């Protein structure tokens, strides 16, 4: 249990399951009677080999992927992969991109810096990214199409992946293992761990093995070398991988992605229902494009929004400030956020509305 | 205190100071009464801003560097920097390298993969890397000379840096803040944190600010972008930076690098003295080239070496196996290893020698 009852709605780094925090604490100072903490064990030890291999197996199982995919545990966040993925697998250096807002544009910028031609094949920019665009099969030959499954800042998500002949590369950072997708014709699934799979400092990449081919990239960006070395060309982020494995085991014990999606729909549903009926607060996202994990809302009045954020904080509902690009509020309801957190937020929203709707 | 008294001689990840482990434990589940652990706080929060800025200041102070240097907290280990540093600062794409063994060769390989011409300007290869070579001013124009201050595998180190007109770039991974150097005419000082400054998953780069110039590298390798964003182009490894700051504060409280160097000389001196007088064990390194942090030794007999490693482990002296490239044993005595650890090792070496020297 927490010393103090705080619900943390941060967009990432974010809440960890309470049982995971407890496990981390009880594994200090000695992990598995080794006399060493996980932070001190060698990445070449049997203790760690077991952890990294378990994490790999658990991830493939939870994503329902076959071993046609290699799992890499890397560093540097999705931003590193925005460049590294096309450098590794875009054979003709020409990719497509679905523009759903900030992080998709960042993916485009980094790919261009890596010398890749990027065609935007669909965009919801003209709708201020309040929906996710319908993606049609492009006419040109493209190595793949990059798609952000959930947009952390804009609060949108794909509920179903587009069905195309060109393969997809999916940045799943902000709904990694938070809802089920059918991964058909998908080359890469990747994302940072710090929202749904543990702590900052770990990036997970699941890449089709047949796309991993010889190349002359520096080792730490070179999927073939990293794969041969089981993500241990050099010292991997041992503690972050251990934490990820604790979270993956927690999720498996809960019942996997289907069960957590059900819970995430309950949590976000509670909040969306309130917002849809509110006289004070508004969510701008088209209903079929709504994110389960990042819910954006505002009163339309900056002063009132700030008052809400401050008072929420005083009531132990923290990190509700929206991203500076869109303003307003954002509640991130990742896997580790309990239903009670969403309830507490809605209760407070109701109270704030009662007290303030006349002043809007 | 540890549950079980184990001395961990691993080459990295390695021991943390007991007080740091205790602090980490007591900061769970709530850090600074925030109701959140450090693993859950936002990198954009005041709580974390304070940590990263403190860590930066502490590092510059401990290294005795002016603010002519920018400190970057990055990911991907020294291996990432083997390529990233020349890509950022080698203006003519032509560097020199001092070959002192495995990690210097890895630095060369990665720089070449990044399109850099690398001239070996000194090497101790013909002496099986049992010493560190004397470095003379090279005749050719070079952007810089790359030098590994301490060689983790070979057990050698520079006690004093060469005094040249060409600037140096120093990989200090395995003696980072373990001994004092005069950083004169040094462009970059860099290394992984997992030996002397905390946990795996953090790389620290101190780079001369005047070398940080505009370029079109992808963001996560681009020193200008990373510097502008105070190492937060994306989510940094929050927990690893927090741990690093705890270790840096611990070191400052002890008395800084001068004091820890004194202690490291005592610890390694005890072990070297034993080895120099041993009938069974031998250290192959030339006396003026000996590392303070990684001490390699063997009996010259593989079977006996393995017996030693096994029995040491049974006596709670763990991770003494030498690197597979050189075999034998290696004791890493980083900053967090107490004097008692070196004493316990020497006591056991003496006992093993008494029991086994006739069988050699």
């Amino acid at each position: 249990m927490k010393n103090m009852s705080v619900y943390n709605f941060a967009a990432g780094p974010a809440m960890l399951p309470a049982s995971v925090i407890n496990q981390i604490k009880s594994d200090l100072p000695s992990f598995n009677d080794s006399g060493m903490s996980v932070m001190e064990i060698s990445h070449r030890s049997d203790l760690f080999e077991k952890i990294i291999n378990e994490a790999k197996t658990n991830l493939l199982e939870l994503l329902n992927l076959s071993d046609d995919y290699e799992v890499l545990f890397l560093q540097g966040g999705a931003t590193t992969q925005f460049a590294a993925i096309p450098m590794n697998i875009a054979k003709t250096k020409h990719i497509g991109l679905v523009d759903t807002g900030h992080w998709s544009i960042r993916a485009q910028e980094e790919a261009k810096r890596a010398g890749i031609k990027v065609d935007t094949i669909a965009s919801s920019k003209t709708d201020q990214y309040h929906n996710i665009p319908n993606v049609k099969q492009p006419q040109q030959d493209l190595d793949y199409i990059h798609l952000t499954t959930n947009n952390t800042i804009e609060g949108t998500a794909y509920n179903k992946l587009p069905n195309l002949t060109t393969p997809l590369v999916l940045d799943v950072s902000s709904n990694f293992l938070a809802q089920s997708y059918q991964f058909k014709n998908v080359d890469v699934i990747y994302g940072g761990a710090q929202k749904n799979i543990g702590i900052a400092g770990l990036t997970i990449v699941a890449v089709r093995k047949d796309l991993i081919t010889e190349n002359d990239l520096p080792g730490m960006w070179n999927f073939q070398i990293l794969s041969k070395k089981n993500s241990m060309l050099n010292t991997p982020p041992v503690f972050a991988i251990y934490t990820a494995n604790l979270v993956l085991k927690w999720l498996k014990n809960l019942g996997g992605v289907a069960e957590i999606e059900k819970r995430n729909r309950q949590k976000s549903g509670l909040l969306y229902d309130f917002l849809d009926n509110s006289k004070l607060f508004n969510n701008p996202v088209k209903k079929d494009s709504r994110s389960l994990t990042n819910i954006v809302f505002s009163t339309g009045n900056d002063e009132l929004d700030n008052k809400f954020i401050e008072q929420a904080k005083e009531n132990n509902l923290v990190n509700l400030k929206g991203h500076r690009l869109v303003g307003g509020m954002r509640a991130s309801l990742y896997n580790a956020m309990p239903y009670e957190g969403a309830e507490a937020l809605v209760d407070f929203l109701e109270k704030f509305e009662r007290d303030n709707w006349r002043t809007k």
Side-chain angles (χ1 to χ4, degrees), chain A residues 11 98-106 124 128-133 146-158 171-175 179 181 195 272 285 289-296 323 326 330-332 334:
Chain A
V98 181
D99 170 22
T100 49
H102 179 74
W103 288 107
S104 64
I105 293 164
R106 289 288 298 118
S124 52
Q128 285 122 6
Y129 300 118
H130 290 159
N131 63 52
I132 45 137
H146 183 278
L147 187 146
T148 313
T149 53
N150 184 88
N151 298 282
T152 329
I153 295 173
E154 297 79 5
T156 60
Y158 280 88
D171 175 2
V172 299
S173 290
S174 51
N175 66 348
Q179 64 193 102
Y181 288 112
K195 298 171 195 291
Y272 283 124
V285 177
S289 301
R290 283 174 168 178
S291 166
L292 298 187
T293 47
N294 306 100
I295 292 93
V296 295
H323 193 278
V326 299
R330 170 175 53 184
S332 296
Y334 296 124

Side-chain angles (χ1 to χ4, degrees), chain A residues 120-180:
Chain A
T120 301
I121 60 151
S123 173
S124 52
K125 189 175 178 180
T126 54
D127 294 318
Q128 285 122 6
Y129 300 118
H130 290 159
N131 63 52
I132 45 137
N134 190 23
V135 183
K136 286 183 206 130
Q137 175 59 41
Q139 294 308 301
Q140 68 270 48
D141 281 335
L142 299 167
D143 293 320
Y144 63 76
I145 293 164
H146 183 278
L147 187 146
T148 313
T149 53
N150 184 88
N151 298 282
T152 329
I153 295 173
E154 297 79 5
T156 60
Y158 280 88
N159 278 303
K160 224 183 124 195
L161 298 175
N163 189 5
L164 308 171
T165 55
T166 310
L168 296 174
V169 165
L170 303 174
D171 175 2
V172 299
S173 290
S174 51
N175 66 348
F176 216 155
L177 297 176
Q179 64 193 102
S180 297

Side-chain angles (χ1 to χ4, degrees), chain A residues 114-333:
Chain A
I116 307 294
K117 188 176 171 206
V118 187
D119 292 353
T120 301
I121 60 151
S123 173
S124 52
K125 189 175 178 180
T126 54
D127 294 318
Q128 285 122 6
Y129 300 118
H130 290 159
N131 63 52
I132 45 137
N134 190 23
V135 183
K136 286 183 206 130
Q137 175 59 41
Q139 294 308 301
Q140 68 270 48
D141 281 335
L142 299 167
D143 293 320
Y144 63 76
I145 293 164
H146 183 278
L147 187 146
T148 313
T149 53
N150 184 88
N151 298 282
T152 329
I153 295 173
E154 297 79 5
T156 60
Y158 280 88
N159 278 303
K160 224 183 124 195
L161 298 175
N163 189 5
L164 308 171
T165 55
T166 310
L168 296 174
V169 165
L170 303 174
D171 175 2
V172 299
S173 290
S174 51
N175 66 348
F176 216 155
L177 297 176
Q179 64 193 102
S180 297
Y181 288 112
Q182 282 272 10
F183 296 119
K184 236 177 64 189
N185 199 19
V186 170
D187 281 354
V188 185
I189 297 151
Y190 73 103
Q194 71 275 9
K195 298 171 195 291
N196 276 308
I197 319 185
I199 70 169
L202 175 64
T203 320
I204 299 176
V205 177
V207 51
R208 282 176 61 102
K209 283 179 182 165
D210 58 354
L211 297 171
I212 301 176
T213 53
E214 189 151 0
N215 64 67
D216 54 10
L217 292 169
M220 292 303 287
W221 278 16
N222 186 317
F223 287 175
Q224 193 189 43
I225 292 175
L226 292 163
S227 163
K228 264 192 196 160
K229 298 283 188 177
N230 195 24
S231 303
M232 290 186 274
L233 172 59
N234 65 351
T235 314
V238 170
F239 184 72
I241 294 170
Y242 149 84
T243 307
N245 193 39
L246 292 180
V247 175
L248 295 172
K249 285 195 282 189
W250 167 82
L251 182 52
K252 270 179 66 176
N253 287 338
L254 271 186
V257 179
E259 173 62 24
I260 205 79
E261 174 171 348
K262 206 178 87 192
R263 297 184 187 199
N264 288 339
R265 289 195 184 279
Q266 285 166 346
K267 291 184 294 188
S268 59
L270 189 70
L271 184 50
Y272 283 124
D273 281 351
F274 168 80
L275 294 170
D276 288 343
N277 294 297
S278 172
K279 285 182 285 194
L280 183 61
F281 297 98
N282 173 56
N283 167 282
V285 177
K286 212 175 132 207
K287 288 197 179 178
D288 66 2
S289 301
R290 283 174 168 178
S291 166
L292 298 187
T293 47
N294 306 100
I295 292 93
V296 295
F297 55 98
S298 75
T299 64
N301 174 330
D302 288 351
E303 213 176 309
L304 209 49
D305 284 351
N306 288 333
K307 184 174 164 190
F308 173 81
I309 293 161
E310 277 314 303
Q311 291 190 3
K313 191 176 167 186
E314 286 160 19
N315 285 271
N316 293 329
L317 305 169
V318 305
N319 290 321
L320 281 162
K321 196 172 162 57
H323 193 278
R324 62 183 160 69
L325 290 178
V326 299
M329 281 76 78
R330 170 175 53 184
S332 296
L333 306 175

Side-chain angles (χ1 to χ4, degrees), chain A residues 65-117:
Chain A
L65 290 178
S66 74
D67 64 4
D68 291 345
Y69 288 83
E70 172 70 311
V71 175
L72 300 174
F73 293 107
L74 306 178
Q75 297 179 64
T79 304
T80 299
Q81 296 310 316
F82 293 161
I85 290 168
M87 286 164 80
N88 275 275
I89 71 161
K91 306 295 174 205
T92 72
K93 294 183 183 295
H94 187 192
I95 67 172
L97 183 125
V98 181
D99 170 22
T100 49
H102 179 74
W103 288 107
S104 64
I105 293 164
R106 289 288 298 118
Q108 182 175 38
E109 288 167 354
E110 295 295 338
K112 284 182 177 172
R113 282 179 173 267
I116 307 294
K117 188 176 171 206

